[in-house]
Amino acid sequence: MNAVSPPPRPGAAGFLARYESLIGALPGDSALRAAAAAAFRAAGLPGGGPGRRIEAWKYTALRPLADMLFAPAQAPDIAEPPTLAGAAAKVVFVNGAYRAAMSAPPAFFARFADRPDFGTLSWPDREPMTALNTMLAADGMTLDIPANTDGGTVHLASIGVGPTAFHPRHLVRLAPGASLTLLETANGTGPYLHNPVTEIHVGAGARLIHVRLQNEDIAAFGLSTLYADIAEHGTYDSFSLNLGGRIARAEIRATLSGPHATAHLNAAQLLTGTQHSDFTTVVRHAEPHGASRQTVKNVLAGQSRGVFQGRIEVARDAQKTDGYQMNQALLLSPDAEMDCKPELEIFADDVKCSHGATIGALDADQIFYLRSRGVPAAEARAILVRAFLTEAIDAVADDAIRALLEAGIAGWWDNQAA
Amino acid sequence: MLNIRGLAASIDDKPILKGIDLIVPPGEVHAVMGPNGAGKSTLGYVLAGREDYVVTAGSAVFNGTELLGMDPEARAAAGVFLAFQAPIELPGVNNANFLRTALNAIRRSRGEGELDAVQFLKLARAETKRLAMPDDMLKRNVNVGFSGGEKKRNEVLQMALLRPKLAILDETDSGLDIDALKIVADGVNALRGPDFSALVITHHQRLLDHLVPNRVHVLSAGRIVRSGGPELARELEKSGYAGIVAEAA
């Protein structure tokens, strides 16, 4: 295939050239891909060049991504990712391609490459990164959990080896009454773009616990878009820990499409150096008695920049909606920056919606209290940062997954001290 | 022993301590009394190393080491302990973990081995029992949701575990009922010995009935204006500070 590929070009033009070279070779609906290509050609990479910035990407510009030159994804030799204690099922993707030798897939697993399914939620929303994904998606994980079945714990692992770009397409459907714990980890080495689109359907009375540990390489771009639809009495309980990436963005668009649906879109971001990480959510309450909760904690060191955009939409019929959103940032350096944009759009008249934001430094009295007890200053700060994250981390009930998150946080702190 | 000479300190360029001279020999408990705003708490903070106070003159030598200029954690390692008047709440920090981290930091600095969770809990439970504290205070977040009395007892618990050589108690008696007062006094009395000194900052004679001081000092407007034996505290209880302060002025 390399023989017929044109020489790589950077930015949006490079992705479009890659698409042109792959027409007919990619699985699934080619008309949809063509439409996505047209949309991506029109939109380009958000902030990737001069011109007007779109509001949804106000704080995150992909200019550095537009300058990157990527090669077609290879299948490099890599070490097998660690197996999560208690998770029987593991699905591993290397540079976006399913790696059977490292996987232990559950019975209800299918590959996008074998059974392409673009789902129903993402299109024609035409988020630029979704358009890029739809244009180039080659592989991914589809999970279909049958009704009233406990799918146990599944670990979805992505490993990137740069320089390359990959656009996996994942689809998770829980039939009514089903349950699943999904752990998603993203790691890698070198400069690469990991641009997954995930679609989630939580059926009536079903429950999905989704924990994501984004620890991409410091030179990588991790830009994920997730669409979730939560039916009557269904629960989508998600927590994202964002540690890695040069520029990272996790965008979640969740619709509470049935009454008494629940969505938790919690996150913590720990950044340092010149990292940029953007957590963007849109929660749409379409039916009555829905509840949404978002607690987003940011710990920002160095010259890092954290972004949280949280939008809650309450439709006219969605009476008795209970929406809550809280963004808290701890700035460990005078050069760190937090941008926070809450948006509430409420058309129903009997709802409870609140949002809040706090941005501050570590409390000098608390540091002094710890130091006066003999705790060295650096350890005192680490204790207080961990305490700041407690509310978010403790909400993760699974011990093995929580231990993984704790290790990620400890690793981040060790990098700070080094 | 603690030897304070000509100690002056200010906060936000406002002088609070204006030349304190005070010697606490080893094994002695000294009380510091005085009207509100006299600088009693500042004295405690300056000795413990709080950074927002600026020492403008003087010295504070403890067992041959100059304290002023040392990091707070180094002072703690040298044996200084400040029981806070308003103990700080640490949401998200488990009290047992906090106490063990502090104890192990102090033990490391003394060249002693660290205690594991089991060893620590055994020790901590014995102390909480002695201080008539409910066991669940170890499980809760540090001082969060504690009553005033519980916070003060938690300070005494820390003191009991860390076994300082110089304890500074900043109004540890305020807000305590008679029983709790006695427990706090017993906690300090239990540490008394040739290698332990204490500065007890208080407004009330009450505590000093249970924790009998060797000396009593009256602090007013940043200076010690009078010193005496335990009888001075009783005199103050009767006649107040006004006479002494006026006499000194």
Side-chain angles (χ1 to χ4, degrees):
Chain A
M1 185 187 288
N2 282 343
V4 297
S5 295
R9 296 162 65 188
F15 293 124
L16 286 161
R18 174 108 186 108
Y19 167 69
E20 301 289 343
S21 75
L22 291 173
I23 286 177
L26 289 165
D29 186 340
S30 57
L32 181 65
R33 289 190 190 268
F40 181 69
R41 182 173 280 116
L45 290 169
R52 206 163 58 86
R53 297 271 285 277
I54 56 174
E55 182 66 18
W57 288 79
K58 183 174 176 180
Y59 300 105
T60 299
L62 298 181
R63 178 77 226 174
L65 175 61
D67 292 337
M68 297 296 296
L69 205 57
F70 293 124
Q74 304 294 315
D77 289 331
I78 49 127
E80 186 165 344
T83 298
L84 179 76
K90 183 160 74 165
V91 181
V92 179
F93 288 83
V94 178
N95 282 350
Y98 179 60
R99 185 66 70 98
M102 291 180 179
S103 299
F108 32 82
F109 163 77
R111 280 180 70 173
F112 179 91
D114 299 334
R115 254 179 40 197
D117 187 340
F118 286 96
T120 56
L121 301 177
S122 65
W123 203 254
D125 276 349
R126 298 188 182 179
E127 271 77 51
M129 298 312 292
T130 300
L132 174 59
N133 175 287
T134 304
M135 181 173 94
L136 285 171
D139 209 347
M141 173 189 80
T142 298
L143 291 183
D144 273 295
I145 315 293
N148 304 313
T149 302
D150 179 6
T153 298
V154 174
H155 178 189
L156 169 61
S158 167
I159 298 153
V161 181
T164 192
F166 47 101
H167 315 267
R169 191 80 176 201
H170 306 303
L171 179 57
V172 178
R173 279 183 291 235
L174 274 67
S179 60
L180 177 71
T181 296
L182 177 62
L183 168 69
E184 199 178 335
T185 57
N187 304 74
T189 50
Y192 56 85
L193 166 65
H194 180 203
N195 176 39
V197 168
T198 304
E199 174 161 330
I200 283 170
H201 293 263
V202 178
R207 179 181 182 83
L208 175 60
I209 295 170
H210 189 187
V211 179
R212 306 196 292 174
L213 173 51
Q214 184 272 97
N215 205 355
E216 307 278 19
D217 189 276
I218 201 73
F221 300 83
L223 308 171
S224 68
T225 314
L226 185 146
Y227 301 85
D229 179 274
I230 305 123
E232 186 173 0
H233 288 286
T235 297
Y236 176 58
D237 182 352
S238 81
F239 174 72
S240 307
L241 178 60
N242 300 328
L243 301 174
R246 177 177 171 187
I247 296 179
R249 170 157 156 137
E251 179 169 344
I252 302 181
R253 294 174 168 265
T255 300
L256 283 67
S257 64
H260 296 280
T262 299
H264 295 170
L265 310 179
N266 298 321
Q269 312 200 99
L270 281 71
L271 309 176
T272 188
T274 55
Q275 280 184 291
H276 177 115
S277 191
D278 174 339
F279 187 62
T280 289
T281 63
V282 179
V283 180
R284 178 164 176 78
H285 288 263
E287 291 288 329
H289 297 284
S292 63
R293 292 276 175 280
Q294 295 173 79
T295 300
V296 181
K297 304 255 184 180
N298 305 272
V299 177
L300 308 176
Q303 298 163 272
S304 65
R305 187 170 177 199
V307 177
F308 172 58
Q309 305 183 99
R311 180 175 169 87
I312 303 175
E313 302 172 358
V314 182
R316 192 180 305 278
D317 294 336
Q319 302 293 359
K320 305 288 182 191
T321 283
D322 180 0
Y324 171 82
Q325 186 186 91
M326 174 56 77
N327 178 66
Q328 295 177 318
L330 199 50
L331 304 183
L332 299 183
S333 136
D335 299 322
E337 178 178 330
M338 180 75 216
D339 297 294
C340 173
K341 188 176 75 173
E343 287 180 277
L344 302 182
E345 186 184 84
I346 301 172
F347 290 105
D349 55 14
D350 184 13
V351 304
K352 196 167 83 182
C353 274
S354 62
H355 68 90
T358 62
I359 298 177
L362 285 172
D363 185 291
D365 286 341
Q366 294 181 336
I367 292 175
F368 175 62
Y369 192 56
L370 284 160
R371 295 179 75 189
S372 77
R373 298 314 184 234
V375 180
E379 194 178 348
R381 283 194 288 273
I383 288 170
L384 294 175
V385 166
R386 181 59 192 81
F388 172 75
L389 297 169
T390 289
E391 183 190 350
I393 305 293
D394 286 0
V396 176
D398 185 293
D399 289 340
I401 293 178
R402 207 174 51 247
L404 198 70
L405 300 178
E406 296 277 12
I409 292 169
W412 183 85
W413 194 264
D414 289 345
N415 284 340
Q416 294 307 295
Chain B
M1 87 155 163
L2 176 67
N3 189 346
I4 303 174
R5 292 210 167 273
L7 178 61
S10 57
I11 187 164
D12 299 333
D13 294 328
K14 191 181 165 211
I16 309 287
L17 303 182
K18 299 168 186 169
I20 303 263
D21 293 298
L22 179 62
I23 290 175
V24 185
E28 292 199 359
V29 171
H30 287 204
V32 176
M33 305 181 79
N36 289 330
K40 303 188 297 294
S41 290
T42 298
L43 177 60
Y45 281 139
V46 167
L47 291 175
R50 197 168 141 151
E51 280 166 347
D52 37 5
Y53 291 91
V54 178
V55 174
T56 51
S59 67
V61 175
F62 177 61
N63 288 350
T65 307
E66 173 63 61
L67 291 179
L68 305 178
M70 283 170 81
D71 284 337
E73 57 267 39
R75 300 185 200 204
V80 177
F81 179 89
L82 171 66
F84 283 51
Q85 183 183 142
I88 307 295
E89 296 185 4
L90 302 177
V93 181
N94 170 277
N95 204 23
N97 288 346
F98 163 70
L99 294 166
R100 186 158 75 94
T101 303
L103 179 58
N104 280 336
I106 297 283
R107 288 179 67 95
R108 272 201 307 273
S109 70
R110 289 179 189 156
E112 298 168 0
E114 297 191 17
L115 299 185
D116 66 28
V118 176
Q119 293 167 318
F120 168 77
L121 272 181
K122 200 172 160 211
L123 183 68
R125 289 221 176 91
E127 292 294 345
T128 52
K129 203 171 160 197
R130 222 161 50 80
L131 294 168
M133 293 166 67
D135 262 1
D136 81 328
M137 275 177 68
L138 290 172
K139 294 181 193 148
R140 287 152 64 183
N141 285 343
V142 179
N143 294 325
V144 177
F146 284 31
S147 70
E150 285 174 333
K151 284 182 179 172
K152 297 301 175 75
R153 265 188 271 187
N154 204 34
E155 295 292 288
V156 177
L157 172 63
Q158 291 167 45
M159 184 177 70
L161 287 168
L162 300 180
R163 308 195 72 81
K165 297 194 181 82
L166 172 66
I168 304 156
L169 282 77
D170 188 1
E171 293 193 25
T172 302
D173 53 334
S174 66
L176 294 185
D177 60 32
I178 302 286
D179 293 340
L181 196 71
K182 203 163 172 311
I183 289 166
V184 167
D186 289 348
V188 180
N189 284 328
L191 292 174
R192 277 180 113 152
D195 293 331
F196 175 81
S197 316
L199 264 184
V200 180
I201 297 167
T202 182
H203 270 297
H204 305 291
Q205 163 63 25
R206 248 181 8 163
L207 176 66
L208 304 180
D209 287 340
H210 302 286
L211 181 55
V212 180
N214 300 86
R215 299 281 289 168
V216 175
H217 308 278
V218 179
L219 192 61
S220 173
R223 288 193 184 86
I224 287 176
V225 293
R226 189 152 159 202
S227 298
E231 71 286 349
L232 177 56
R234 283 190 287 276
E235 186 191 325
L236 290 167
E237 187 83 354
K238 262 188 270 165
S239 53
Y241 297 116
I244 290 173
V245 170
E247 193 180 303

